[in-house]
Amino acid sequence: YNKIMSEYIHIRSKLNSIKLGFIIGMILPFVAILFFQFANFSQYGFFGFYAKLHELHIFSSIISLCVIPNLLVFFLFIWKSYYITCRGIILATIIYAVIMMIFKFAL
């Protein structure tokens, strides 16, 4: 029993890290952007898609929408009591917010 409990605690401690939350928080919106591209703009290549978003002035809006999956993962980790991982997800989301603001107001 002690060995099983020790393994569980070890796995739980690996999953509860800022690094994991940050990686998940950075990758998930990027995957959502790719999914959006293939669903709506499949006729454009990777760079053509981004050029089209800039042309339509919706790039910052798309970034904002693609961060929504972070919210779902955040609540999943809250529900599982991985609070340190949630900090990493929040950090990644803040970075996406800064990027969105730069594209919206500076470029």
Side-chain angles (χ1 to χ4, degrees):
Y1 175 77
N2 285 339
K3 183 173 172 109
I4 293 171
M5 202 57 171
S6 172
E7 295 266 337
Y8 172 75
I9 291 171
H10 178 69
I11 291 171
R12 187 167 171 81
S13 68
K14 279 189 167 187
L15 290 176
N16 197 19
S17 70
I18 291 178
K19 185 177 178 182
L20 177 66
F22 182 75
I23 291 170
I24 291 170
M26 292 303 287
I27 291 174
L28 200 58
F30 185 73
V31 170
I33 290 171
L34 290 177
F35 180 75
F36 180 79
Q37 176 191 0
F38 291 126
N40 297 312
F41 293 92
S42 59
Q43 69 271 20
Y44 296 102
F46 186 72
F47 295 107
F49 168 68
Y50 292 105
K52 188 68 172 174
L53 292 180
H54 281 295
E55 178 185 316
L56 297 172
H57 302 289
I58 59 170
F59 187 74
S60 59
S61 301
I62 298 301
I63 291 175
S64 299
L65 290 174
C66 289
V67 176
I68 290 175
N70 275 358
L71 182 64
L72 302 173
V73 174
F74 174 79
F75 282 119
L76 175 71
F77 280 110
I78 286 284
W79 181 57
K80 292 289 190 177
S81 299
Y82 293 123
Y83 300 118
I84 298 173
T85 306
C86 291
R87 292 178 189 174
I89 294 170
I90 290 171
L91 176 64
T93 304
I94 289 171
I95 289 173
Y96 270 106
V98 169
I99 291 169
M100 188 267 315
M101 297 298 266
I102 289 170
F103 277 105
K104 186 167 183 90
F105 297 114
L107 298 179

